């Protein structure tokens, strides 16, 4: 008897476990959906549901980061055991925000969207949201720009995970 047959209890339990895993990965700083989407495809989860789950899970921390991260980091930067880590996060967020603002000028919304949307290490929703809060960007604008950036990064990562870039480069090279 195959306990993992489609629709069976154990199959459903295994699927829930896999989805919980990609939800957690999508919410972890530095990994976010840039790591969760390739993992979801390595687990052979359905493309569209796993994409949607990764996007939503990556966006869950955004309002909390915007509203509380700056205050918590400023509070903790002079504490004995956590001060160095908190200072590092504050400095990294401030530097990212200043770099973004210097390049963008008045186009800060577009800069934040592209900063989050181009899937490079350290440029995800966490860093982008922290940078926006440190720059006193409006909450609504931050959430919209980060959401659009997460969608773009998700599309890029899913395309890469499905091998679309490899196929494109292989066809161009012929």
């Amino acid at each position: 008897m195959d306990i993992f047959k489609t629709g069976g209890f154990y199959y459903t339990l295994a699927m829930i476990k896999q989805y919980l895993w990609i939800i957690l990965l999508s919410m972890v700083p530095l990994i976010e959906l840039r790591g969760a989407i390739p993992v979801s495809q390595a687990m052979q989860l359905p493309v569209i549901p796993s994409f949607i789950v990764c996007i939503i899970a990556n966006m869950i921390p955004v309002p909390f980061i915007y509203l509380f991260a700056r205050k918590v980091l400023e509070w903790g930067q002079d504490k004995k055991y956590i001060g160095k880590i908190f200072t590092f996060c504050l400095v990294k967020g401030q530097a990212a925000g200043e770099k973004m603002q210097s390049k963008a000028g008045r186009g800060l919304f577009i800069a934040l969207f592209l900063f989050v949307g181009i899937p490079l290490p350290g440029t995800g929703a966490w860093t982008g949201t922290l940078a926006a809060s440190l720059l006193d960007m409006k909450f609504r604008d931050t959430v919209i720009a980060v959401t659009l950036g997460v969608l773009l990064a998700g599309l890029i990562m899913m395309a890469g995970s499905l091998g679309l870039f490899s196929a494109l480069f292989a066809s161009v090279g012929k």
Side-chain angles (χ1 to χ4, degrees):
M1 179 165 94
D2 185 12
I3 61 170
F4 289 104
K5 66 180 180 178
T6 303
F9 173 75
Y10 292 106
Y11 175 80
T12 303
L13 207 54
M15 290 291 286
I16 290 170
K17 184 178 176 183
Q18 289 177 321
Y19 276 106
L20 286 174
W21 181 241
I22 65 167
I23 287 168
L24 291 174
L25 281 177
S26 295
M27 294 174 67
V28 172
L30 301 177
I31 297 174
E32 301 184 36
L33 61 73
R34 290 151 171 75
I37 286 178
V39 167
S40 75
Q41 295 313 290
M43 292 179 184
Q44 299 181 346
L45 291 173
V47 173
I48 294 177
S50 62
F51 177 80
I52 292 169
V53 166
C54 288
I55 296 294
I56 291 170
N58 195 193
M59 289 303 299
I60 289 171
V62 168
F64 300 102
I65 296 165
Y66 183 89
L67 297 171
F68 303 115
R70 179 180 185 175
K71 293 173 184 154
V72 170
L73 291 172
E74 288 172 349
W75 166 83
Q77 69 183 353
D78 62 350
K79 303 299 183 252
K80 185 175 180 179
Y81 297 107
I82 58 174
K84 288 182 182 180
I85 293 171
F86 280 40
T87 301
F88 170 80
C89 293
L90 205 52
V91 168
K92 183 170 175 53
Q94 188 70 39
E98 288 171 1
K99 183 178 178 183
M100 197 181 345
Q101 192 166 35
S102 70
K103 289 186 177 188
R106 294 180 55 161
L108 193 55
F109 180 91
I110 299 296
L112 180 59
F113 158 66
L114 292 174
F115 179 82
V116 174
I118 298 172
L120 297 170
T123 64
W126 280 75
T127 309
T129 304
L130 179 59
S133 78
L134 293 171
L135 291 172
D136 294 321
M137 197 169 161
K138 291 181 183 173
F139 178 77
R140 179 180 173 271
D141 293 344
T142 299
V143 171
I144 293 170
V146 170
T147 301
L148 293 172
V150 166
L151 285 168
L152 176 60
L155 289 171
I156 292 169
M157 292 308 300
M158 188 59 81
S161 296
L162 295 174
L164 297 179
F165 295 127
S166 300
L168 178 67
F169 292 134
S171 67
V172 171
K174 289 184 178 181

